[in-house]
Structures are given as C-alpha cells and as structure tokens.
Amino acid sequence: STDLTSTIGYDSIIQHLNDGRKNCKEFEDFLKERAIIEEKYGKELINLSKKKPCGQTELNTLKRSLDVFKQQIDNVGQGHIQLAQTLRKEAKKMEDFREKQKLHRKKIELIMEAIHKNRNLQYKKTMEVKQICCCFLMYGLMLLTCTRTGRLSHQDDNVISSADRSYQQNITTLEKIREEWQKEHIKACEFFETQECERINYFRNALWLHVNQLSQDCVQNDEKYEEIRKTLEMCSIEKDIDFFVNLCKTGSLAPAPVVYENYYNTQRNATPVRSPVSVPISRRGPLPTPTSAPGELFYQASEDVSAP
C-alpha cells in the first residue's frame, strides 16, 4: 500500500499463513480420526476371528482352509491396528512441523510488530510536529504583515526556526525508520515465502505418504487373502469325503436281515429258517458333480485340484 502506516499487505500474508497452518491441523485431525477407525475395525476383526465359530466341525483339507482363513483375518485385523499406529505417528509429525513453523514465524512477527509500532509512532509524531511547524509559520507570516518593520522579533524567529528544525529532524528519523521497516518487511516476506514453500511441500509429501500407506495396507491384505486362496486350491472334495469315511467307518459288511424265530410252533419237524449271509458293501459310485448357483464361481473337484 502507498499508505506508510498501512499493514493491509502484511496482514494478507499473515492470514494466508494462518490458513495454511489451519489446513495442516485439519489433515492432522483427519489422520487421528482415521487411526481411531482403523484401530476399532482391526480389533473387531480380531474378535470376530477368535470368538465367532466358522465351520468348526469341518474335516481335513477344507478345515485347513478355514483355519488359514480365520488366521489371516486375524492378521488383517492386526494390520489395521498397525496402520492406526502409523497414522498416529504421521499426525504427530504434522503437529511437530506446524509447531516448528509457528515458533520460527513468531520471532519474525514480533520483530515486524515492533517495527510497525515504532514506524507508526514516529509517523504520528512527525505529522504532529509538521502541524505545529505549519502553525508557527502561519503565525510568523501573520506577524510579518502586522509589523511596521517587516521583520520578526528575535524571540519569534527562534521559535519558528526551532519548530522547523524539529520538523526536519522528525522527517529524517521517519525516513530512517521507513527504510529499516521496508528492509525488514522484505526479509519477512522472503522468510514467509520460504515457510510456505516448505509447508506446501511437507503437506503434499505427507498426503502422498498417507496414500502409499493405504495402498501398502491393501497389498499386504491381499497377500494374506492369497494365503487363503492357496489353501482353497488344495481343498479336495474327494479327499475330504474319503477322510470322513475312513475316520467314521464302522465296518465293511451290512447288517444281516432280522430273521423270524417261531416260538409258537414248537413241533420238532418244523423247518428252521436259515439266517441270510451278510453281503459285503460294494464301493460307492463316483461323487456327484457340484453345481454352482447362477453368478457363482464353479469349483472343479478332482484329484489334482486346479485354482478356482
């Protein structure tokens, strides 16, 4: 501004810097809130995997898949808890960065406040002396017009001269202060510009890092889910059925039919009914082919199970 006492430009810069600090604080709070959500979600997943039954009576290969499934869900939960801790650390870094910039900026602001105050006081004093000097000059001119000699008295001349010297001295002092203020103002603006470059760079990098952390979390989760898929590839319907049969089989002969015993006819020549001979159980036929519901993946069962 052309107004020497105006701080409108300086105030705009300070307001912008305060807005930037506020924006950093908002991102910091966002990270903290996200950390709370991640931690809560992680704990809920762990509780779910440990406390909720999920196919607990399954056998053999499918049982192993379910065990891996629950373990990896637990690991995913642990991963979310670790992510929450990471987000809190990043929020703390952002807070430390904000406070560091605030402290450094405060020193410059105090210098600028002092020099603004000194400049304005000197400007005010100079304007007051100028007004007094003008009054004395007007008074002197009036006296000149009223005296017959056309000269001022020695006392009046000294008063006017003193007022003029005071005015000149204040102008000189104000100019020195103005030059000092302008120099400090430029230095302050350069410092503020450097701080703002650092802030934008730090904020951008922090956001980039945050997105990378989320991506990494997704990659790690997918690796855990891949472990589940691998065990499902090894899941064999044929083997699980055979495992159940071998585990629970009770024999290879079917029960003999229950024969009729004639207690009523006690004659000796009664022809006894022979007990039928037990027939070995034949091997069961091939397993039925599972059918998939519309829109579902078809899982092919064979001795060498391929991936779904």
Side-chain angles (χ1 to χ4, degrees), residues 153-203:
S153 66
H154 183 70
Q155 182 178 359
D156 290 335
D157 185 61
N158 286 341
V159 170
I160 294 174
S161 296
S162 177
D164 184 62
R165 284 195 302 273
S166 177
Y167 175 45
Q168 292 181 22
Q169 289 172 357
N170 276 275
I171 286 291
T172 302
T173 302
L174 179 59
E175 178 58 21
K176 290 180 180 179
I177 291 174
R178 189 195 67 80
E179 290 177 354
E180 180 186 3
W181 158 74
Q182 186 167 302
K183 187 186 300 181
E184 291 297 327
H185 181 81
I186 292 173
K187 287 168 60 178
C189 287
E190 290 173 348
F191 174 81
F192 293 150
E193 183 176 7
T194 300
Q195 267 210 334
E196 183 65 359
C197 289
E198 290 176 352
R199 187 194 69 83
I200 294 174
N201 184 62
Y202 191 90
F203 200 161

Side-chain angles (χ1 to χ4, degrees), residues 9-58:
Y10 178 81
D11 294 340
S12 296
I13 294 174
I14 295 300
Q15 182 61 49
H16 179 71
L17 295 176
N18 288 335
D19 289 343
R21 184 167 177 269
K22 179 184 176 184
N23 293 336
C24 288
K25 180 64 166 60
E26 289 175 351
F27 181 65
E28 174 191 326
D29 291 340
F30 180 91
L31 292 178
K32 290 178 180 178
E33 289 295 324
R34 178 68 185 264
I36 293 173
I37 294 171
E38 291 290 342
E39 184 176 52
K40 182 178 179 181
Y41 179 56
K43 290 180 177 179
E44 291 292 337
L45 280 180
I46 293 172
N47 289 335
L48 178 64
S49 66
K50 289 182 177 178
K51 297 180 180 180
K52 189 69 175 176
C54 185
Q56 59 184 351
T57 60
E58 284 292 346

Side-chain angles (χ1 to χ4, degrees), residues 6-156:
S6 174
T7 58
I8 184 171
Y10 178 81
D11 294 340
S12 296
I13 294 174
I14 295 300
Q15 182 61 49
H16 179 71
L17 295 176
N18 288 335
D19 289 343
R21 184 167 177 269
K22 179 184 176 184
N23 293 336
C24 288
K25 180 64 166 60
E26 289 175 351
F27 181 65
E28 174 191 326
D29 291 340
F30 180 91
L31 292 178
K32 290 178 180 178
E33 289 295 324
R34 178 68 185 264
I36 293 173
I37 294 171
E38 291 290 342
E39 184 176 52
K40 182 178 179 181
Y41 179 56
K43 290 180 177 179
E44 291 292 337
L45 280 180
I46 293 172
N47 289 335
L48 178 64
S49 66
K50 289 182 177 178
K51 297 180 180 180
K52 189 69 175 176
C54 185
Q56 59 184 351
T57 60
E58 284 292 346
L59 302 173
N60 206 34
T61 61
L62 184 55
K63 181 181 187 304
R64 287 197 293 271
S65 295
L66 287 169
D67 289 342
V68 173
F69 166 71
K70 295 195 71 175
Q71 180 58 52
Q72 294 304 331
I73 292 299
D74 184 279
N75 291 341
V76 170
Q78 295 289 353
H80 282 283
I81 292 176
Q82 292 174 2
L83 177 59
Q85 295 172 350
T86 299
L87 295 181
R88 289 192 178 97
K89 290 179 181 178
E90 294 305 317
K92 185 63 169 62
K93 289 180 183 178
M94 179 63 79
E95 181 183 3
D96 292 341
F97 175 78
R98 285 192 307 104
E99 291 302 315
K100 180 181 178 181
Q101 279 211 329
K102 178 184 176 182
L103 290 175
H104 289 174
R105 204 175 81 204
K106 191 63 178 178
K107 297 175 183 177
I108 303 299
E109 289 186 44
L110 290 174
I111 293 173
M112 293 303 296
E113 286 175 7
I115 204 167
H116 283 162
K117 183 178 180 181
N118 187 35
R119 179 199 64 186
N120 293 346
L121 287 174
Q122 183 59 40
Y123 180 80
K124 181 181 179 181
K125 181 180 179 182
T126 300
M127 293 301 100
E128 288 174 350
V129 171
K130 177 183 178 181
Q131 187 176 7
I132 293 172
C133 184
C134 288
C135 289
F136 276 122
L137 287 174
M138 293 297 295
Y139 174 70
L141 290 174
M142 184 178 65
L143 288 177
L144 284 174
T145 56
C146 294
T147 56
R148 295 179 180 179
T149 59
R151 294 181 180 180
L152 294 174
S153 66
H154 183 70
Q155 182 178 359
D156 290 335

Side-chain angles (χ1 to χ4, degrees), residues 252-264:
S252 59
L253 296 176
V258 178
V259 298
Y260 168 71
E261 296 183 30
N262 189 351
Y263 294 103
Y264 177 74

